[in-house]
Amino acid sequence: MKQLIPLIPLVFLAACGASPAPEFFGATRTDVTVNGRDYTVFQKGERVEVIRLGYAHRGEHQGIRATMIELIPRVTGCKLRESTLTGDSGEMRGSLDCPKQP
């Protein structure tokens, strides 16, 4: 039993799923499943971060990246400024153009 005690915190960390980059601490978090794959979207102001959860096989990355880009306006209600997009099929970040609130 003593040998298992150090592993307990790791189990809790693994259960938390995606964690945002420091820039997105305090951001709105949305968990989404598309085609059986899980993603987490963090939005803070006019910045967005999308994280893919789980393993991706060779040949899946281009489709995953396209799905991540499609998720951004659907989840945030804002338009992605495509020229600001960085990252890959595991994690990407970008800037948004959001409608002004009245």
Side-chain angles (χ1 to χ4, degrees):
M1 184 65 177
K2 274 186 169 182
Q3 294 171 342
L4 294 178
I5 292 175
L7 296 177
I8 292 173
L10 294 176
V11 171
F12 285 110
L13 284 174
C16 293
S19 296
E23 171 187 355
F24 293 93
F25 288 171
T28 300
R29 177 187 177 129
T30 305
D31 295 307
V32 182
T33 301
V34 177
N35 298 326
R37 187 173 300 282
D38 297 322
Y39 302 89
T40 300
V41 180
F42 294 99
Q43 181 183 0
K44 189 171 187 181
E46 291 195 347
R47 293 283 295 154
V48 66
E49 178 178 47
V50 183
I51 300 172
R52 178 199 79 230
L53 304 174
Y55 181 78
H57 295 280
R58 179 182 286 180
E60 295 180 316
H61 297 280
Q62 186 174 359
I64 290 169
R65 192 175 195 294
T67 298
M68 292 169 76
I69 292 169
E70 291 170 13
L71 279 175
I72 293 170
R74 186 179 349 164
V75 171
T76 66
C78 302
K79 183 179 180 201
L80 173 66
R81 287 189 231 154
E82 297 223 14
S83 64
T84 67
L85 191 63
T86 61
D88 56 26
S89 66
E91 178 272 338
M92 59 178 58
R93 295 182 198 140
S95 295
L96 305 167
D97 285 321
C98 298
K100 301 296 180 199
Q101 300 295 323

